[in-house]
């Protein structure tokens, strides 16, 4: 297998931290997905605004990624959980024609209510892709000591052919 790209969206840094740590374990490139118009809400307002984006199935326009996807055959996609599913920028990504014929690893951070995020992600992923694995991380600030072990253990569950070639 060829190169790995880790693509993630993060509003408040938790998913970014996980993405950066995975990058340090893998021989991977890292890229943050950013909507052109990021929400500005903090506190309770962010749940209302962000939740409404999810419910309305918004696909926000993204800043140019500047990525040559043909270089990668494995793409890790990371997101926070919003309203029991993945975030609107990830919906934009999945609905674009960029993620095709790839091996996919999905990861997400949440505060204890992931809902059926993995099922929803799969249902939006183009069928030409092949899932290698998925993992969620709950309240990472509360369990910082467990994070590295959990990540390393997860990498061991991925197909041997992938681990040997990364
Ligand atoms: C709009 C919004 C909706 C959220 N919905 C959920 C949810 O349904 N379940 C959950 O466990 N956490 C939910 N959260 C919490 C985030 O998933 C969690 O804090 C995550 O780690 C944040 O990642 P980030 O720092 O990378 O943005 C929500 C947060 C926001 C802002």
């Amino acid at each position: 297998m060829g190169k790995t790209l880790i693509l993630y969206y993060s509003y408040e840094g938790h998913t970014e931290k996980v993405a950066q740590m995975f990058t340090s374990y893998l021989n991977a490139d890292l890229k943050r997905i950013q909507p052109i118009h990021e929400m500005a809400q903090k506190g309770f307002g962010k749940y209302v605004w962000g939740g409404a984006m999810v419910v309305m199935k918004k696909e926000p326009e993204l800043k140019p990624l500047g990525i040559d996807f043909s270089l990668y055959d494995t793409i890790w996609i990371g997101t926070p959980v919003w309203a029991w599913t993945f975030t609107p920028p990830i919906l934009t990504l999945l609905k674009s024609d960029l993620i095709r014929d790839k091996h996919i690893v999905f990861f997400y951070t949440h505060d204890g209510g992931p809902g059926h995020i993995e099922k929803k992600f799969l249902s939006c992923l183009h069928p030409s892709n092949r899932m290698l694995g998925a993992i969620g991380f709950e309240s990472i600030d509360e369990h910082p000591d467990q994070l590295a072990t959990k990540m390393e253990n997860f990498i061991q569950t991925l197909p041997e052919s992938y681990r040997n070639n990364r």
Side-chain angles (χ1 to χ4, degrees):
M1 290 192 194
K3 288 179 75 177
T4 295
L5 172 67
I6 299 183
L7 265 180
Y8 69 96
Y9 170 74
S10 181
Y11 183 59
E12 294 182 306
H14 298 86
T15 314
E16 175 160 69
K17 182 175 177 186
V18 171
Q20 287 171 341
M21 281 181 73
F22 271 134
T23 307
S24 71
Y25 293 128
L26 303 160
N27 182 17
D29 292 338
L30 178 68
K31 185 81 191 180
R32 180 177 189 156
I33 296 169
Q34 288 178 291
I36 288 178
H37 302 291
E38 183 58 282
M39 75 167 172
Q41 273 76 10
K42 300 278 170 210
F44 188 67
K46 73 185 177 193
Y47 297 104
V48 176
W49 197 89
M53 291 270 290
V54 172
V55 171
M56 292 189 288
K57 297 189 168 28
K58 290 281 185 199
E59 296 174 32
E61 197 180 338
L62 305 180
K63 289 186 181 171
L65 289 167
I67 292 168
D68 179 356
F69 280 82
S70 69
L71 296 176
Y72 302 96
D73 65 19
T74 304
I75 301 187
W76 291 51
I77 299 175
T79 179
V81 175
W82 280 11
W84 307 282
T85 188
F86 52 85
T87 46
I90 300 297
L91 183 61
T92 307
L93 180 75
L94 295 179
K95 295 281 179 182
S96 73
D97 60 1
L98 297 171
I99 311 291
R100 297 280 192 278
D101 302 306
K102 305 293 184 191
H103 295 98
I104 304 292
V105 178
F106 179 52
F107 63 98
Y108 50 96
T109 68
H110 62 95
D111 289 346
H116 297 289
I117 187 172
E118 292 183 21
K119 214 169 121 191
K120 289 174 181 168
F121 178 83
L122 260 179
S123 72
C124 287
L125 189 65
H126 192 269
S128 64
N129 297 291
R130 183 185 155 217
M131 281 297 287
L132 297 183
I135 185 167
F137 295 89
E138 180 180 346
S139 307
I140 64 167
D141 292 339
E142 292 170 25
H143 317 286
D145 45 327
Q146 295 165 18
L147 198 52
T149 311
K150 185 169 178 177
M151 294 169 100
E152 283 165 6
N153 288 344
F154 173 67
I155 290 170
Q156 292 308 313
T157 68
L158 298 175
E160 206 176 341
S161 55
Y162 175 66
R163 281 184 282 123
N164 290 342
N165 285 290
R166 66 188 160 86

